[in-house]
Amino acid sequence: MSYDFNTIEANWQKYWAEKGTFNAENNSEKPKYYVLDMFPYPSGAGLHVGHPLGYIASDIYARYKRHKGFNVLHPQGYDSFGLPAEQYAIQTGQHPAITTRENIARYREQLDKIGFSFDWSREVKTSDPKFYKWTQWIFIELFNSWYDKDADKARVITDLEAIFTKEGNANVNAVCDEDVEPFTAEGWNGFSSREKQEVLLKYRLTYLAETEVNWCPQLGTVLANDEIVNGVSERGGYPVVRKKMTQWSMRISAYAQRLLDGLDTIDWPQPLKDSQTNWIGRSQGASVTFNVKDHEATIEVFTTRPDTIFGVSFMTLAPEHELVQKITTSEQKEEVQAYVEATAKRSERERMADVKTISGVFTGAYAEHPFTKEPVPIWIGDYVLAGYGTGAVMAVPCGDQRDYDFAKYFEIDIPNIFEGVDISEEAFVDKENTIIANSDFLNGLSYKKATKTAIYELEKIGQGEGKINYRLRDAVFSRQRYWGEPFPVYYVDGMPQMIDAAHLPIALPEVEKYLPTETGEPPLGRATVWAWDAKNNKVVSNDLIDDTNVFPLELNTMPGWAGSSYYFNRYMDPHNVDEVFSKEAINYWKEVDLYIGGSEHATGHLLYARFWQKFLFDRGVVPVDEFAKKLINQGMILGTSAIVYRISGSNTYVSKGIKDEYETEELRVDVNMINASDELIPEELMSWQPQFKDAEFILEDGKFIVGREVEKMSKRWYNVVNPDGICEQYGADSLRLYEMFLGPLEQAKPWNTAGITGVHSFLKKLWKLYHNGDVFDVTDEAPTKDSLKTLHKTIKKVEEDIENFSFNTSVSTFMIAVNELTAQKCNSRVILEPLTILVSPYAPHIAEELWQKLGHSESIATAAFPIFEEKHLVESTKQYPISFNGKTRFTLELSLDLSKDEIEAEVMGHEKTKQQLDGRTPKKVIVVPGKIVNVVG
């Protein structure tokens, strides 16, 4: 009976789907285990072989934990809102919902073919109104919350209103806007409704503010920093500029310290933790206030080196700083404006990365040094960012290399405030060995003492205070797109009002086009039915807005990270229409036990999700404040690109071996046209794309050989390998085993389709182990000691490997075991039945088929993991090397129970010993029990 993997895999995939084999229970006497993958964005291209790597690893672990007796939740869904679907809709006019639905169907088909043990009964899609109803609900909860610093948690906004009513805001220690004015209870109670709303917006955890954003005119939307590459949009490569817009923002900054502290409580990769730590950017120092000469304005800076305050020789503001336009003198206006406009065309990421370029403009204005009262020139420079810190720095060129380079370039004074230090060539940045000089009351002090003294003196004159600062900024939460979650917000006299949760979801309206309006409004500005009837609680025509109870709805949509910030919790109770999830469900599953996904999400999804989890914990919605106990970043499967060499200025291509004879340029071509010998048939290339239609080819030895290069698997490089073809030719079990066999899970590794034949041959050998020709041949005969030894060392190794996520070495172990059992001619059920279970997490289809043939009616998923027994690995005999005068001549297997004399007797009586001695009497016989025997003489 041959190994018909196509039939076997189709049958078992159908069986699992019909039986709901992997559906988890929300209440079980078994211990729970929650395994999760970062859910995919369903693109039109479908999956390539690099995508399933993490899914296969998580699936192995999920199946293993089921064998270990756990109630396993292993769900899957789709992160289905996003810019790509919207861009496709703009190009084709097709509704994003249609293309998203088609793409999801394609992904589901591919995922099912690989045999994942997903609980599809819990599938979620972020673009489904039944799901984003709860995204909208969480937004409302954030709006109705504030952060109490004393309690170190979020509280409901009605608590804050009650405090204001009784005592005003003098004693409120909250995270809020910096421009909050103090007021008494009498003042609060005298405010109009609008004034109260304006004050509360300064405290709410989600709020409206004018924010510097990355604006992409061609895409008509705001982009996050991670959506910009080299100053242009990642999608489309369009220019991005900085501009101010009124946006919804979220006070993630309120959670900065807790986000840092929480990293110590979770088992996540250290490089990822380091990324978040650096992104949050905690620093300790002082806030210093500089008065602007001839202005009422002041400039606040944060510095980690208040000890160097007497070394300030200039100040630098971000070009976007609100004071720039106010303080710039008329003589400098034109130059400053030109610089501001030029800077707006560069992304923040680009500006931060560019450490070589020195540029800036003097504003013509001066600040006043807080102690010396000397004038300090105020410059603007693009290395200062408006959104980081205060958007202003006090420049101490003698103690900071960037300030030093700036001062040298623009010929600004560089006063030396360090005792015994030469700063003629570079700044002195070794703060631990600092002794302050030329600094009045700080002279002779070390860094630490000078810092404390400077802060004390600043506080004494009311121009500064000690402060802990974070680089983490509040997250912009508005996008000028169509294909995203609508905000549950309408506006009365310009003030935002939340739609009552009872009337959610607020679903996306139909629009004629998916572009911004001609007047620059987001695409929702094109909707004709997009107004809120506050009396009847429903969406109505915009024509009714002049009516007393009908108001405009928010035109922006939420960003892509909204739904992904809590989807892991929704899986616990995905069909609940009354609440985001029941208390019973969330208290049972609590958190994700194992999360697998890419490290590229370190400062995006993973940081935002931790923020939302902590907020929901504060509000009593979830029982734990970290959503994932353990996280693994899988490495990338790289493609092996195919390169052809075109003679420059021609349409002639030369084979790789002779390319150096010509001046050539490289072009990448579809790897699916290349055979295992790196050979390309020219006719196939000529019919692939029009540019190759009339190409000419210079061959070597009658063949056209391409170059190869390992790089990211991408449609752009034409090096994508489709898993469908692999499954059809070799089977899903072969694909699963091969992806694990390629190398450690966390490492990047190149794909080579030719290599899959090895694991496919292994599966055929495994199949043959259970068969004698066409007959299934497993007996109830007792196994040999060797077979038991092979089984139990395999159990031990595979269990250790899975627990350590060393899946690649498990595959090697299986190969060794099957080779040994084949050599032993083992067909004992005692051995082959547990072997089937061991293989099952990795190659579930063949395991299910063999399990059924072994006589079981239930899925192998219900079988217990084999128990390792040490006794089968305990050696009862020893292969002794028998040496004569130190040279081994033969080996002899002897019982380990024999005494020294008994070993000597066995050796001396052996025929081969007699042959070696040839009648001679040895001088002595050296015996070390369990090790060696050496006959001397």
Side-chain angles (χ1 to χ4, degrees):
M1 183 183 293
S2 64
Y3 170 41
D4 182 4
F5 55 84
N6 290 126
T7 302
I8 290 169
E9 290 177 359
N11 286 344
W12 285 106
Q13 287 162 13
K14 184 169 182 274
Y15 173 92
W16 295 330
E18 289 175 352
K19 298 285 187 181
T21 303
F22 307 115
N23 292 1
E25 302 172 36
N26 270 7
N27 289 294
S28 172
E29 293 179 359
K30 298 177 182 179
K32 71 94 182 177
Y33 201 87
Y34 184 177
V35 181
L36 183 65
D37 306 289
M38 292 184 188
F39 60 173
Y41 176 82
S43 72
L47 295 170
H48 61 61
V49 293
H51 291 126
L53 177 69
Y55 300 166
I56 295 169
S58 66
D59 196 58
I60 289 170
Y61 205 78
R63 287 175 179 273
Y64 164 71
K65 295 301 275 190
R66 289 191 192 96
H67 288 312
K68 279 293 196 175
F70 285 80
N71 178 30
V72 176
L73 174 57
H74 186 37
Q76 187 58 285
Y78 303 96
D79 192 8
S80 50
F81 271 132
L83 195 53
E86 181 157 317
Q87 288 302 295
Y88 188 75
I90 290 169
Q91 293 162 13
T92 64
Q94 194 171 23
H95 198 290
I98 296 171
T99 54
T100 299
R101 187 163 57 246
E102 292 170 350
N103 294 344
I104 285 175
R106 171 83 179 115
Y107 265 57
R108 176 64 188 271
E109 178 187 19
Q110 289 185 293
L111 290 169
D112 284 344
K113 279 184 179 176
I114 302 173
F116 294 118
S117 63
F118 292 135
D119 180 353
W120 284 113
S121 72
R122 295 171 183 258
E123 178 187 82
V124 300
K125 308 179 190 84
T126 57
S127 58
D128 183 345
K130 293 193 291 292
F131 178 86
Y132 69 69
K133 164 183 181 176
W134 300 108
T135 317
Q136 293 173 338
W137 175 80
I138 292 172
F139 177 85
I140 293 169
E141 292 301 303
L142 282 155
F143 182 81
N144 288 328
S145 300
W146 62 291
Y147 201 89
D148 184 342
K149 286 185 179 180
D150 292 335
D152 202 17
K153 62 181 285 189
R155 295 174 57 187
V156 292
I157 204 76
T158 49
D159 289 353
L160 187 62
E161 291 180 271
I163 295 169
F164 289 168
T165 300
K166 289 182 180 178
E167 56 189 72
N169 68 349
N171 298 318
V172 172
N173 188 15
V175 176
C176 58
D177 292 357
E178 292 183 354
D179 62 349
V180 171
E181 298 286 341
F183 54 80
T184 62
E186 187 179 11
W188 170 260
N189 294 324
F191 287 163
S192 66
S193 172
R194 182 187 178 88
E195 287 171 328
K196 287 181 178 179
Q197 290 179 63
E198 288 173 343
V199 170
L200 290 172
L201 261 183
K202 296 177 184 292
Y203 287 88
R204 295 182 187 274
L205 285 183
T206 186
Y207 60 95
L208 280 172
E210 195 175 59
T211 313
E212 281 278 341
V213 294
N214 302 309
W215 173 249
C216 180
Q218 278 87 341
L219 294 178
T221 189
V222 166
L223 297 177
N225 283 332
D226 55 12
E227 295 173 309
I228 303 165
V229 178
N230 298 324
V232 297
S233 64
E234 184 179 35
R235 179 156 296 274
Y238 300 119
V240 177
V241 298
R242 299 286 293 171
K243 67 179 287 190
K244 283 193 173 182
M245 295 180 69
T246 299
Q247 305 280 296
W248 282 104
S249 288
M250 293 212 169
R251 288 189 211 278
I252 187 174
S253 59
Y255 286 83
Q257 190 59 49
R258 286 174 61 186
L259 288 167
L260 279 176
D261 294 342
L263 292 172
D264 294 332
T265 69
I266 49 181
D267 182 7
W268 287 20
Q270 193 58 46
L272 191 151
K273 289 184 177 185
D274 292 342
S275 291
Q276 291 204 355
T277 298
N278 294 336
W279 191 262
I280 294 166
R282 185 186 194 272
S283 51
Q284 198 154 353
S287 172
V288 184
T289 303
F290 286 78
N291 297 320
V292 180
K293 282 185 170 291
D294 304 319
H295 277 272
E296 291 184 1
T298 58
I299 299 172
E300 184 184 344
V301 301
F302 174 80
T303 177
T304 58
R305 297 292 306 272
D307 60 308
T308 65
I309 193 160
F310 285 94
V312 175
S313 63
F314 65 100
M315 300 191 74
T316 314
L317 305 183
E320 312 90 343
H321 196 289
E322 61 181 4
L323 281 182
V324 171
Q325 301 302 328
K326 297 176 183 176
I327 65 173
T328 299
T329 61
S330 56
E331 294 83 3
Q332 295 297 108
K333 207 87 176 174
E334 189 175 334
E335 191 178 357
V336 165
Q337 191 58 37
Y339 187 81
V340 169
E341 290 172 6
T343 303
K345 295 174 183 174
R346 304 182 74 203
S347 71
E348 284 191 352
R349 183 166 290 181
E350 187 182 359
R351 287 161 60 183
M352 283 190 288
D354 184 5
V355 295
K356 294 180 180 178
T357 305
I358 299 172
S359 69
V361 176
F362 179 43
T363 65
Y366 292 83
E368 181 184 83
H369 192 284
F371 293 121
T372 69
K373 306 305 179 185
E374 292 292 318
V376 180
I378 303 171
W379 289 67
I380 61 171
D382 67 0
Y383 72 94
V384 183
L385 303 174
Y388 284 83
T390 63
V393 298
M394 61 175 223
V396 182
C398 67
D400 180 277
Q401 192 59 44
R402 196 152 193 177
D403 293 344
Y404 185 93
D405 294 340
F406 192 96
K408 280 277 189 184
Y409 188 84
F410 290 109
E411 298 181 347
I412 303 171
D413 287 343
I414 305 179
N416 189 356
I417 58 162
F418 301 120
E419 189 175 288
V421 172
D422 178 14
I423 59 164
S424 60
E425 298 297 326
E426 61 183 0
F428 178 69
V429 296
D430 184 2
K431 64 184 180 184
E432 296 304 327
N433 290 309
T434 291
I435 299 296
I436 300 294
N438 304 317
S439 299
D440 197 1
F441 52 83
L442 299 179
N443 288 340
L445 299 182
S446 65
Y447 154 70
K448 288 183 179 178
K449 287 184 178 178
T451 295
K452 288 182 181 177
T453 305
I455 291 172
Y456 172 77
E457 293 295 336
L458 283 166
E459 289 175 345
K460 200 159 71 171
I461 62 173
Q463 285 194 249
E465 61 180 354
K467 188 178 182 181
I468 294 172
N469 199 49
Y470 300 91
R471 188 184 298 120
L472 181 68
R473 295 174 296 167
D474 286 346
V476 176
F477 199 67
S478 294
R479 297 292 185 269
Q480 292 66 46
R481 302 174 188 163
Y482 172 77
W483 195 234
E485 297 93 333
F487 284 91
V489 175
Y490 65 97
Y491 290 88
V492 177
D493 295 330
M495 296 303 297
Q497 314 295 321
M498 296 297 114
I499 291 169
D500 191 278
H503 309 302
L504 302 180
I506 304 302
L508 277 171
E510 293 295 324
V511 294
E512 181 187 359
K513 289 191 291 188
Y514 306 102
L515 289 165
T517 68
E518 286 68 22
T519 55
E521 292 177 323
L524 289 184
R526 295 181 179 277
T528 55
V529 180
W530 195 239
W532 184 249
D533 182 339
K535 183 177 181 182
N536 297 301
N537 295 308
K538 63 180 182 178
V539 177
V540 296
S541 169
N542 295 11
D543 295 338
L544 301 175
I545 283 179
D546 288 338
D547 187 85
T548 310
N549 296 303
V550 178
F551 305 98
L553 283 158
E554 173 66 66
L555 299 182
N556 290 311
T557 53
M558 298 187 200
W561 57 268
S564 64
S565 292
Y566 76 100
Y567 78 107
F568 37 83
N569 289 327
R570 183 64 180 169
Y571 278 136
M572 300 175 188
D573 195 10
H575 307 299
N576 195 326
V577 296
D578 299 318
E579 50 191 341
V580 62
F581 35 72
S582 69
K583 285 287 184 188
E584 291 76 17
I586 193 73
N587 287 333
Y588 175 71
W589 293 109
K590 285 189 172 64
E591 75 270 273
V592 177
D593 293 287
L594 173 64
Y595 197 24
I596 296 183
S599 59
E600 67 273 15
H601 300 290
T603 56
H605 154 61
L606 290 170
L607 195 62
Y608 297 136
R610 293 183 62 223
F611 159 43
W612 275 32
Q613 181 77 7
K614 289 182 185 298
F615 164 71
L616 292 171
F617 174 76
D618 288 352
R619 292 293 310 275
V621 181
V622 297
V624 292
D625 74 343
E626 291 288 349
F627 76 92
K629 279 185 186 177
K630 181 176 182 64
L631 184 141
I632 295 176
N633 292 138
Q634 85 274 12
M636 189 182 293
I637 286 187
L638 304 170
T640 305
S641 300
I643 301 169
V644 294
Y645 305 93
R646 181 171 64 192
I647 297 175
S648 299
S650 75
N651 199 23
T652 300
Y653 299 82
V654 297
S655 188
K656 178 187 176 185
I658 53 176
K659 70 179 178 66
D660 292 340
E661 299 173 21
Y662 305 86
E663 186 178 331
T664 60
E665 53 197 18
E666 297 181 355
L667 281 78
R668 283 162 177 76
V669 297
D670 189 349
V671 293
N672 296 296
M673 295 189 291
I674 315 302
N675 68 18
S677 302
D678 293 342
E679 185 181 355
L680 170 70
I681 307 302
E683 289 74 18
E684 290 189 23
L685 182 61
M686 293 168 77
S687 61
W688 178 53
Q689 285 185 356
Q691 63 174 313
F692 299 106
K693 183 181 178 184
D694 301 317
E696 295 181 4
F697 297 85
I698 301 175
L699 310 180
E700 55 178 313
D701 301 326
K703 296 179 179 179
F704 188 85
I705 306 299
V706 300
R708 293 294 217 168
E709 186 166 333
V710 174
E711 52 197 348
K712 182 178 179 180
M713 192 172 283
S714 164
K715 286 190 299 177
R716 178 185 178 190
W717 302 125
Y718 305 111
N719 62 2
V720 167
V721 178
N722 191 312
D724 298 10
I726 300 294
C727 290
E728 188 175 335
Q729 188 173 357
Y730 299 101
D733 285 342
S734 292
L735 173 70
R736 292 168 65 104
L737 282 169
Y738 184 54
E739 294 221 2
M740 293 298 98
F741 190 54
L742 282 172
L745 178 61
E746 295 90 344
Q747 290 182 11
K749 44 250 173 198
W751 176 272
N752 180 2
T753 300
I756 203 169
T757 55
V759 294
H760 187 61
S761 296
F762 157 72
L763 288 173
K764 288 193 284 189
K765 200 167 187 178
L766 175 70
W767 180 263
K768 194 176 177 181
L769 187 62
Y770 292 73
H771 295 81
N772 185 359
D774 290 338
V775 179
F776 185 74
D777 183 26
V778 177
T779 70
D780 291 328
E781 291 180 11
T784 65
K785 287 183 178 180
D786 283 346
S787 293
L788 283 167
K789 180 180 177 182
T790 294
L791 172 66
H792 283 274
K793 73 177 182 181
T794 304
I795 294 170
K796 183 174 189 289
K797 184 70 167 71
V798 170
E799 185 164 3
E800 288 172 354
D801 285 346
I802 294 179
E803 290 288 1
N804 293 319
F805 306 97
S806 300
F807 304 119
N808 56 315
T809 49
S810 279
V811 181
S812 303
T813 301
F814 291 140
M815 292 176 174
I816 293 166
V818 169
N819 285 340
E820 289 181 2
L821 294 173
T822 300
Q824 296 158 12
K825 295 184 170 53
C826 175
N827 66 348
S828 169
R829 176 183 295 273
V830 174
I831 304 298
L832 297 187
E833 196 163 86
L835 178 67
T836 314
I837 300 170
L838 290 178
V839 170
S840 172
Y842 293 79
H845 306 90
I846 193 172
E848 286 278 22
E849 187 74 10
L850 294 172
W851 190 248
Q852 186 184 61
K853 285 174 173 289
L854 285 162
H856 299 281
S857 56
E858 292 290 313
S859 166
I860 196 171
T862 63
F865 198 80
I867 297 171
F868 166 65
E869 295 181 39
E870 180 76 38
K871 66 182 181 182
H872 295 298
L873 300 192
V874 175
E875 301 286 351
S876 59
T877 62
K878 162 75 179 176
Q879 283 283 349
Y880 281 89
I882 310 301
S883 300
F884 292 82
N885 295 321
K887 291 185 178 180
T888 301
R889 297 302 182 184
F890 65 92
T891 59
L892 185 61
E893 185 171 6
L894 298 172
S895 171
L896 286 169
D897 295 332
L898 295 180
S899 68
K900 189 175 181 181
D901 292 341
E902 288 170 330
I903 293 169
E904 182 176 338
E906 288 279 351
V907 171
M908 296 308 293
H910 199 275
E911 190 64 32
K912 288 185 178 179
T913 302
K914 293 174 182 178
Q915 290 174 9
Q916 289 291 328
L917 291 174
D918 193 24
R920 297 189 310 275
T921 301
K923 293 179 180 177
K924 61 179 175 179
V925 178
I926 300 169
V927 177
V928 181
K931 292 188 177 180
I932 61 161
V933 177
N934 185 25
V935 181
V936 181

